[in-house]
Amino acid sequence: MKRLLQSKETKKTLITFGIVIITYIIVEILMLCGLLSNQLQGLLVPICYYVMLAISLNLTVGILGELSLGHAGFACVGVFTGTVFSICMQNVIAASWIRFALAIILGALFAGIVGILIGLPVLRLKGDYLAIVTLAFCEIIKNVINVIYLGKDSQGLHISTTDTTALGMEPEGVVIIKGAQGVTGMPQDANFTIGILLILITLFIVLNLVHSRDGRAIMAIRDNLIAAESVGINITKYKLMAFSISAALAGAAGAYYGHNFNNIKAATNNFGYNMSIMVLVFVVLGGIGNMRGSIIAAVLLTLLPEMLRGISEYRLLIYSIVLIGMMLFNWSPKAQAWKEKMKVRILGKLKKNQKEVQ
Amino acid sequence: MKTMKKVMSLVLVSVLTLSMMVGCGNTETAATTWKIGGIGPVTGDASVYGQAVKNGMELAINEINEAGGISGVQIEYNFQDDECDNEKSVNAYNALKDWGMNILVGSVTSGCCIAVTAETAKDNMFQLTPSGSSVDCIINDNVFQVCFTDPNQGIGAAQYIGANGLATKVAVIYNSSDVYSTGIYEKFNAEAANQDFEIVSTSAFTNDSKSDFTVQLQQAKDAGAELVFLPIYAQEASLILTQAAAMDFAPTFFGCDGLDGILAIENFDPSLAEGVILLTPFVADAEDEMTQNFVSKYVESYGETPNQFAADAYDAVYTIKAAIEASGATPADGISGICDKMTGAMTTISVDGLTGTGMTWAATGEVAKEPKAMVIVNGEYTNLQ
């Protein structure tokens, strides 16, 4: 146990878990004291969702080292399978937590399967090519969902790609997916506690994978493909493993997020390339391969535009400027050199002070 | 390096915690003014509609405040952007709740409105949507509409075409990603079976593919359509008219209230809209004093001609005024108390507004008013009798 704690990696992992749990406790206390505004309470579920997306995308981008722009597509699969399942089972499974857990698992499963199906042909590509193909797949997923009409009556499920009248349902039947207008009427089961649990599970899966034998193989592929191949690592297997796990986790996140609203539709803003790029921004800003960084970046960037509501019209402009500023501050070589300098100076002063005290 | 990281994460955690505290401390103090909140897209693709509603509301509220408020109580007003996104719309609603809103006008678009409705039902907050026209918007008892519901418009349009013998072969082009458009289309399609015309072609487009309509128009042309029904918004309709003219296809075009404002579309040749028929409750060129007053004030304040969304929003504020006066609610009643009183009063009031005279409401939240059929002649909207 002692040796385990001494390991640098374990310590880092534990700190990451600690930050999530401490944040959870603080937020819960604030909520109990009635100190948390409605706006922030409403944001908790979306924040958890974006954090999960960022962590899972970091697995593809940071650990596998492949640029994927299709992450929102996998979340979209999760949203729709999860919510459709919940609506169908609303009267069958009474205990909401069992139904919700099953919906999340189903969302993850379907997204994982789609991940494998897409990954098989796509992972033969590298770099920019892969990015473009994943972007295309993300759009395909969104557009396919936009033409599906799904209804349910006593005869069972009806599906069509034209419109609701083509479903030919009994008058008392319910339309579940209404094409581009999305799903309406799912139970709103999502809450903050479940979100934090899912974040912890996501972190656990990703960090464990990274520190496992498989994880090292995946990182070896990232660092040098030819060398990895030459020592007998099965490239396709490990690439597919990372990619589909990442997709499945995004699907779970999506299923969770879908249960926060009364209506959800697959639009460009929330499940198209816009969102994929947004999640990539979380990952890049937080540091590629750095899970803790992506969590913090996702939280900050989700809160920021909402916190800026006070300046109404200029909100999105300021948000973009702040984003540019943050990127520059975090990643420009000049800023990094400046940060190094400041660190040396501060540490030097601290040491000096300590010496004086002694 | 490690200490630095530790310090950084500590700092970030505390910043996060602190930022959570910002805007807190909203204990339920009894309000002394009416705080009306609005939600709609003022940025992004749908910003035309949100901006119009925002301006229309502002105009009405300023008028009421100048005249001494509602029963002597002034109105405060706050409009939040939702970028036409369900999640953002709910965020905006929560932000408005923190601000102390006691009555909601919104959301502007149907999809967002459905998402917000679930939240207002939980809080029992009175909600009046100026333009969320889907039936799903008003499934809860606390929500009312100023605009027509989509099904009513679809049935009305089909009956109008049938009764006046406008055509025997009709084509429909609609937006399948829009609740408004699909809602009208579905009912139009159902009602068409009872009418004396035949739908010869139906084609759809989505928000992602709304720039080229030649395929849809060609399909309508090949089917020999004499009339093309366009249950869509003016922006897309202007493109359809332009592209139809380019391919020498000249049927009668027939639209609903979404087509209002088509003459004001930028880079659109208004002569192409000649002969277009639309069923709409509001036109900016109407002769009555109320409309002219509104239009001149609107042009003066915002520098553009108001569309139907602005008129709906203007009527929404006056409807709220009428409901408050009829119910005797005061801000001190609290959100839920106000809602209960106003919901009860809504079915008893009758409002003369820009979008209709003698508007009344059913308990379901649906409005009853007469659509007017207009035809565009010489670049102006003219009543069609």
Side-chain angles (χ1 to χ4, degrees):
Chain A
M1 189 67 196
K2 215 173 176 186
R3 242 182 64 205
L4 197 75
L5 275 175
Q6 270 165 356
S7 134
K8 224 170 156 186
E9 293 298 322
T10 323
K11 221 170 178 179
K12 263 170 104 177
T13 309
L14 287 177
I15 291 176
T16 312
F17 279 110
I19 290 177
V20 176
I21 292 168
I22 289 169
T23 316
Y24 171 70
I25 292 170
I26 294 172
V27 171
E28 279 294 315
I29 290 172
L30 284 176
M31 246 195 306
L32 280 176
C33 305
L35 280 169
L36 206 63
S37 65
N38 289 314
Q39 189 187 6
L40 285 165
Q41 287 188 26
L43 279 171
L44 291 174
V45 171
I47 286 177
C48 290
Y49 163 68
Y50 292 125
V51 166
M52 278 183 266
L53 283 190
I55 298 171
S56 53
L57 182 64
N58 215 338
L59 179 60
T60 309
V61 176
I63 309 304
L64 179 63
E66 296 289 6
L67 191 58
S68 162
L69 287 177
H71 215 54
F74 299 125
C76 188
V77 172
V79 168
F80 282 85
T81 43
T83 50
V84 167
F85 172 80
S86 282
I87 293 172
C88 293
M89 291 295 148
Q90 213 159 0
N91 301 323
V92 183
I93 306 174
S96 73
W97 66 272
I98 297 180
R99 187 182 61 218
F100 192 30
L102 286 174
I104 292 172
I105 293 169
L106 203 70
L109 200 70
F110 264 77
I113 293 170
V114 173
I116 293 174
L117 290 179
I118 293 177
L120 273 175
V122 157
L123 286 171
R124 289 162 203 279
L125 299 170
K126 265 181 267 174
D128 307 346
Y129 308 108
L130 179 78
I132 291 165
V133 176
T134 47
L135 179 71
F137 268 108
C138 172
E139 290 298 300
I140 291 174
I141 291 174
K142 190 194 80 189
N143 285 319
V144 164
I145 285 175
N146 274 342
V147 294
I148 291 181
Y149 292 82
L150 185 76
K152 184 191 157 215
D153 60 12
S154 59
Q155 302 289 319
L157 289 175
H158 297 253
I159 192 161
S160 153
T161 53
T162 42
D163 55 31
T164 42
T165 30
L167 289 173
M169 284 198 304
E170 292 166 358
E172 65 272 15
V174 205
V175 182
I176 301 174
I177 303 183
K178 213 174 172 191
Q181 294 160 39
V183 186
T184 307
M186 46 279 198
Q188 284 162 280
D189 292 330
N191 64 36
F192 184 51
T193 311
I194 297 175
I196 288 290
L197 273 177
L198 286 174
I199 291 181
L200 290 175
I201 295 172
T202 311
L203 265 179
F204 181 78
I205 292 175
V206 171
L207 290 176
N208 256 13
L209 177 71
V210 171
H211 297 147
S212 68
R213 188 166 171 275
D214 295 337
R216 283 191 294 276
I218 293 168
M219 284 186 282
I221 296 173
R222 172 193 70 186
D223 293 336
N224 193 328
L225 189 100
I226 297 168
E229 211 167 10
S230 71
V231 294
I233 290 175
N234 186 341
I235 304 283
T236 318
K237 177 186 154 195
Y238 285 110
K239 270 189 167 181
L240 206 57
M241 180 192 262
F243 193 72
S244 56
I245 289 176
S246 162
L249 291 175
Y256 164 73
Y257 176 73
H259 289 77
N260 190 38
F261 301 102
N262 189 29
N263 166 274
I264 199 158
K265 51 189 176 193
T268 315
N269 272 344
N270 46 10
F271 297 113
Y273 56 89
N274 273 10
M275 185 44 69
S276 293
I277 290 171
M278 198 64 224
V279 180
L280 190 66
V281 168
F282 297 153
V283 172
V284 175
L285 184 69
I288 292 174
N290 180 351
M291 298 303 158
R292 208 185 301 159
S294 10
I295 297 179
I296 295 168
V299 174
L300 280 182
L301 289 187
T302 316
L303 280 177
L304 193 61
E306 293 302 322
M307 291 299 142
L308 290 173
R309 276 194 182 276
I311 47 172
S312 56
E313 272 104 348
Y314 301 102
R315 187 164 70 99
L316 294 178
L317 178 71
I318 302 281
Y319 170 69
S320 327
I321 294 172
V322 171
L323 187 59
I324 295 171
M326 280 164 85
M327 270 306 176
L328 284 177
F329 180 75
N330 254 10
W331 299 112
S332 91
K334 274 267 166 64
Q336 280 184 326
W338 180 82
K339 274 191 286 185
E340 274 308 303
K341 224 169 78 188
M342 290 311 283
K343 208 166 73 189
V344 172
R345 207 177 279 172
I346 292 169
L347 284 181
K349 254 189 193 160
L350 280 177
K351 269 184 192 155
K352 224 175 166 185
N353 284 349
Q354 267 174 357
K355 265 184 193 166
E356 274 167 20
V357 168
Q358 279 170 358
Chain B
M1 190 61 199
K2 244 165 79 187
T3 31
M4 187 64 187
K5 270 201 169 156
K6 266 185 206 159
V7 172
M8 273 298 276
S9 27
L10 251 176
V11 168
L12 276 168
V13 169
S14 44
V15 164
L16 277 179
T17 330
L18 276 177
S19 71
M20 301 249 164
M21 308 270 256
V22 177
C24 297
N26 57 316
T27 41
E28 277 263 338
T29 46
T32 51
T33 52
W34 292 110
K35 290 193 157 191
I36 300 184
I39 303 174
V42 289
T43 56
D45 286 343
S47 61
V48 189
Y49 315 121
Q51 202 70 48
V53 167
K54 185 176 179 229
N55 295 345
M57 277 177 73
E58 207 167 61
L59 207 65
I61 288 171
N62 288 343
E63 273 180 20
I64 293 173
N65 277 343
E66 274 166 34
I70 303 173
S71 316
V73 183
Q74 291 282 307
I75 307 173
E76 279 183 71
Y77 161 68
N78 189 342
F79 196 94
Q80 287 295 338
D81 184 17
D82 68 6
E83 302 163 42
C84 200
D85 181 313
N86 292 3
E87 182 199 323
K88 302 277 162 52
S89 209
V90 172
N91 290 348
Y93 172 72
N94 286 323
L96 284 169
K97 249 167 62 182
D98 289 330
W99 168 71
M101 164 173 69
N102 38 33
I103 294 169
L104 172 67
V105 175
S107 299
V108 170
T109 46
S110 289
C112 293
C113 193
I114 296 169
V116 170
T117 307
E119 305 297 316
T120 55
K122 277 186 213 153
D123 299 322
N124 198 22
M125 161 109 51
F126 185 78
Q127 182 184 2
L128 181 65
T129 169
S131 49
S133 50
S134 161
V135 201
D136 286 333
C137 291
I138 48 169
I139 40 172
N140 297 319
D141 290 339
N142 60 325
V143 194
F144 291 84
Q145 274 169 331
V146 178
C147 58
F148 288 112
T149 51
D150 302 329
N152 284 348
Q153 288 206 55
I155 295 170
Q159 285 170 345
Y160 191 89
I161 295 172
N164 293 292
L166 291 178
T168 51
K169 286 181 172 177
V170 174
V172 186
I173 301 177
Y174 75 103
N175 182 347
S176 64
S177 59
D178 189 40
V179 191
Y180 164 80
S181 196
T182 332
I184 296 179
Y185 160 68
E186 279 167 7
K187 286 295 167 184
F188 181 84
N189 196 19
E191 179 64 25
N194 309 327
Q195 297 293 334
D196 220 7
F197 61 86
E198 181 196 356
I199 296 181
V200 289
S201 125
T202 304
S203 42
F205 62 93
T206 68
N207 282 336
D208 291 333
S209 59
K210 56 179 185 184
S211 50
D212 183 21
F213 297 100
T214 40
V215 177
Q216 287 93 332
L217 283 167
Q218 192 62 50
Q219 199 184 330
K221 191 179 178 183
D222 292 346
E226 298 156 4
L227 183 143
V228 177
F229 181 55
L230 304 174
I232 53 175
Y233 288 124
Q235 186 71 47
E236 293 90 57
S238 71
L239 291 172
I240 290 186
L241 291 178
T242 313
Q243 287 166 11
M247 53 196 279
D248 285 327
F249 179 44
T252 312
F253 287 98
F254 190 100
C256 291
D257 57 1
L259 279 203
D260 168 56
I262 191 161
L263 295 175
I265 300 274
E266 272 176 51
N267 300 328
F268 173 64
D269 176 8
S271 70
L272 292 175
E274 206 62 21
V276 170
I277 304 172
L278 53 156
L279 281 184
T280 174
F282 172 80
V283 280
D285 300 348
E287 298 290 311
D288 64 300
E289 198 195 326
M290 196 175 178
T291 310
Q292 290 194 339
N293 232 335
F294 169 71
V295 172
S296 67
K297 268 193 187 168
Y298 194 95
V299 173
E300 194 187 307
S301 310
Y302 308 108
E304 56 185 21
T305 319
N307 58 15
Q308 175 231 333
F309 285 83
D312 279 332
Y314 184 87
D315 281 354
V317 175
Y318 274 99
T319 306
I320 285 174
K321 181 172 181 270
I324 291 174
E325 283 168 351
S327 64
T330 60
D333 290 337
I335 291 167
S336 186
I338 295 171
C339 181
D340 290 340
K341 283 189 179 174
M342 286 178 74
T343 312
M346 275 305 278
T347 49
T348 63
I349 57 171
S350 162
V351 178
D352 289 336
L354 295 167
T355 61
T357 44
M359 289 189 278
T360 54
W361 280 265
T364 51
E366 226 172 279
V367 67
K369 58 183 178 186
E370 275 298 308
K372 301 175 202 159
M374 300 280 176
V375 60
I376 297 173
V377 179
N378 297 328
E380 275 178 28
Y381 298 97
T382 323
N383 267 317
L384 189 73
Q385 294 309 327

